[in-house]
């Protein structure tokens, strides 16, 4: 197996080759510097149009970057020779709303009707904030960002709905406007925060017990800032309880060839027909 440090010098294509060979099983954070990383959702074509509509109705937590053609495990608009079945370090396989398997390769599970979705990742705006000298508390502490199941509901589309999950990062009050300006450049990676200030505004009574990740302190000169989180579509998938759905494992993203500052267009890969068009 290769180490994270060993992979830091590789470009995105070389990194995917290592992952495809099953030689690395860790986080992709900090790898292929400057290249867009994406959350992945794979599900049967029968639910694909509804899932696309769900993402488009909830762009902050579910920023849609690309869609595969049904049955094709590739994202031509995101990079050369991407194989969605093997180019991530780890996958989570859900059956009827239950995590049934963790695997480094889903070739044996691939179905001819599978459709893949690439969604924006917070790695993108976090790197931009750090480059501007804005500290990110969970990165400083070497912990996982705190994630909260909020009282805000997503806009439901078909079988997909449920609560908005948000991440929280303490930001110094005197740098809040700068954070807003930086994040506005990345609508494809959650964009600007969904809420600033009192956690009660998103239905939270406390920040001490995140649903995922680990809590971080908020200093007196800081304010809690909440962004849409890529766990939102995963919660929607769990609640939909599809016969099968596959996602990336946390921290194990698809590394694309795109400059992370460029906004991708989902239409570069495929446009799913609407129900009207299919009938």
């Amino acid at each position: 197996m290769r180490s994270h440090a060993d992979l830091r010098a590789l470009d995105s294509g070389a990194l995917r080759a290592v992952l495809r060979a099953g030689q690395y099983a860790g986080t992709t954070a900090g790898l292929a510097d400057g290249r867009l990383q994406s959350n992945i959702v794979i599900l049967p074509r029968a639910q694909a149009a509804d899932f696309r509509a769900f993402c488009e109705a909830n762009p902050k937590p579910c920023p849609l970057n690309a869609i595969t053609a049904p049955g094709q495990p590739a994202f031509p608009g995101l990079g050369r020779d991407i194989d969605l079945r093997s180019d991530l370090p780890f996958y989570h396989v859900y059956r009827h709303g239950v995590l049934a398997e963790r695997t480094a390769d889903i070739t044996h599970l691939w179905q001819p009707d599978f459709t893949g979705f690439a969604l924006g990742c917070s790695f993108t705006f976090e790197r931009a904030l750090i480059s501007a000298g804005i500290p990110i508390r969970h990165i400083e502490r070497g912990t996982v960002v705190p994630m909260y199941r909020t009282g805000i509901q997503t806009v439901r589309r078909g079988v997909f709905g449920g609560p908005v999950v948000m991440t929280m990062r303490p930001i110094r009050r005197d740098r809040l406007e700068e954070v807003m300006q930086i994040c506005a450049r990345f609508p494809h990676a959650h964009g600007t925060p969904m809420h600033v200030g009192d956690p009660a505004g998103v239905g939270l009574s406390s920040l001490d017990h995140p649903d995922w990740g680990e809590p971080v302190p908020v200093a007196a000169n800081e304010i809690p800032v909440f962004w849409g989180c890529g766990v939102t579509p995963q919660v929607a998938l769990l609640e939909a309880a599809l016969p099968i759905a596959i996602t990336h494992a946390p921290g194990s993203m698809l590394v694309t060839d795109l400059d992370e500052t460029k906004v991708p267009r989902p239409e570069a890969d495929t446009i799913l027909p609407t129900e009207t068009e299919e009938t």
Side-chain angles (χ1 to χ4, degrees):
M1 296 292 285
R2 306 279 291 273
S3 71
H4 187 277
D6 183 38
L7 301 181
R8 289 186 66 89
L10 298 183
D11 65 21
S12 53
L15 174 61
R16 290 196 300 272
V18 169
L19 299 177
R20 190 175 302 180
Q23 297 176 355
Y24 178 72
T27 180
T28 55
L31 299 180
D33 188 44
R35 297 302 170 188
L36 184 72
Q37 297 198 28
S38 294
N39 302 306
I40 294 298
V41 171
I42 302 165
L43 41 71
R45 190 177 190 274
Q47 289 83 37
D50 279 350
F51 187 74
R52 175 174 183 157
F54 174 75
C55 293
E56 291 175 337
N58 300 279
K60 291 275 192 174
C62 311
L64 183 57
N65 289 343
I67 308 168
T68 70
Q72 299 300 312
F75 286 111
L78 296 186
R80 172 179 48 84
D81 191 33
I82 288 176
D83 190 333
L84 192 53
R85 300 168 296 186
S86 57
D87 287 2
L88 280 69
F90 259 102
Y91 302 80
H92 280 179
V93 182
Y94 297 92
R95 296 185 185 275
H96 303 287
V98 176
L99 177 60
E101 182 180 352
R102 293 185 75 244
T103 180
D105 191 295
I106 59 169
T107 303
H108 63 295
L109 297 172
W110 192 260
Q111 298 178 179
D113 67 334
F114 269 169
T115 302
F117 295 80
L119 307 175
C121 169
S122 62
F123 290 171
T124 297
F125 75 76
E126 285 183 338
R127 191 201 314 268
L129 295 178
I130 291 170
S131 295
I134 296 168
I136 303 296
R137 184 68 37 75
H138 68 274
I139 293 178
E140 292 178 328
R141 296 164 68 94
T143 59
V144 178
V145 64
M147 293 164 271
Y148 301 89
R149 188 189 300 257
T150 72
I152 308 300
Q153 292 294 304
T154 57
V155 178
R156 178 172 288 274
R157 291 291 183 267
V159 297
F160 301 106
V164 175
V165 177
M166 297 185 192
T167 55
M168 191 283 295
R169 296 163 185 80
I171 299 296
R172 270 179 27 194
R173 295 173 184 273
D174 63 346
R175 304 206 70 175
L176 181 59
E177 183 57 36
E178 186 179 358
V179 166
M180 293 291 189
Q181 292 173 359
I182 291 172
C183 289
R185 304 202 307 261
F186 303 104
H188 56 295
H190 300 301
T192 53
M194 296 187 72
H195 178 69
V196 175
D198 187 355
V202 291
L204 301 176
S205 59
S206 170
L207 296 176
D208 295 337
H209 303 288
D211 295 281
W212 300 271
E214 300 173 59
V216 295
V218 180
N221 66 338
E222 294 175 331
I223 188 167
V225 180
F226 297 84
W227 279 262
C229 174
V231 174
T232 303
Q234 296 198 19
V235 170
L237 284 173
L238 291 176
E239 295 195 2
L242 305 182
I244 186 169
I246 301 172
T247 72
H248 66 289
S252 298
M253 309 297 182
L254 174 68
V255 179
T256 79
D257 295 339
L258 294 190
D259 182 329
E260 66 182 356
T261 66
K262 307 299 183 184
V263 179
R265 294 184 177 181
E267 290 77 13
D269 293 276
T270 185
I271 299 178
L272 292 172
T274 65
E275 184 177 348
T276 301
E277 289 170 337
E278 289 184 312
T279 58

